[in-house]
Amino acid sequence: MKRPLTGVSAAERIRASARVLFYNNGIRSVGVEEIVQNAGVTKPSLYRAYESKDGLVAVYLDEFFLTCRKRFEEAEAACPDDPRGQLLFYFDGLAERASHPAYRGCGLTNAILEFPNREHPIRREAARLKQAMADWISSRVMLLGKRDPEVLTSGLVLLMEGAFVAGQAFAPPGPGTHAGMVARLMLDA
């Protein structure tokens, strides 16, 4: 068992442990025992804080989405009043992330792939959060006044999801490293 960090609550250690393990190894392959051992806590601590592994997974998905939301906010702050610049800022950052050897794609996409039953609560939550990501892209595209904004949005969402998966499927740097350039081509078409 790992030695607990001083001043960090058991719930925070569990959450941090789960975040790393779920992202690197997958949700289904990680058991409660591995999470608590890695966090340096006991199983009852996990159940007190999260009620179940599924409750902990829901927190993981929400936190992963907050990271995505932060990237959108950074794009908006970097390119105020410039939706094209915001999209390119996001896709340039995605290209950089997707080219790193430790990149495991999007935790939300990974959860959707791990839970093929569309009615599973984890799948539904991950899909809801993925839709919020697509909605952000759509909101930027709508501000551009482009012809066929739905088609452009769909293309950019496909590019985003492709970069998430390509970052895992191909040896670094892989095709995801060109996400920003491909977004430029799409936006300029």
Side-chain angles (χ1 to χ4, degrees), residues 69-137:
R69 181 67 214 153
K70 180 181 172 199
R71 289 182 178 128
F72 297 149
E73 290 168 356
E74 289 169 354
E76 292 168 12
C79 305
D81 302 320
D82 180 6
R84 181 181 185 280
Q86 293 166 7
L87 287 163
L88 293 176
F89 185 92
Y90 173 76
F91 279 101
D92 287 342
L94 175 56
E96 185 179 323
R97 290 187 303 280
S99 65
H100 289 162
Y103 187 69
R104 288 273 301 124
C106 174
L108 303 174
T109 300
N110 296 346
I112 288 169
L113 295 173
E114 280 193 73
F115 293 87
N117 178 352
R118 291 181 184 274
E119 299 308 312
H120 194 286
I122 291 172
R123 163 82 180 236
R124 280 197 324 260
E125 179 62 5
R128 182 184 74 78
L129 296 170
K130 290 302 287 185
Q131 184 60 55
M133 293 176 72
D135 291 345
W136 181 82
I137 291 174

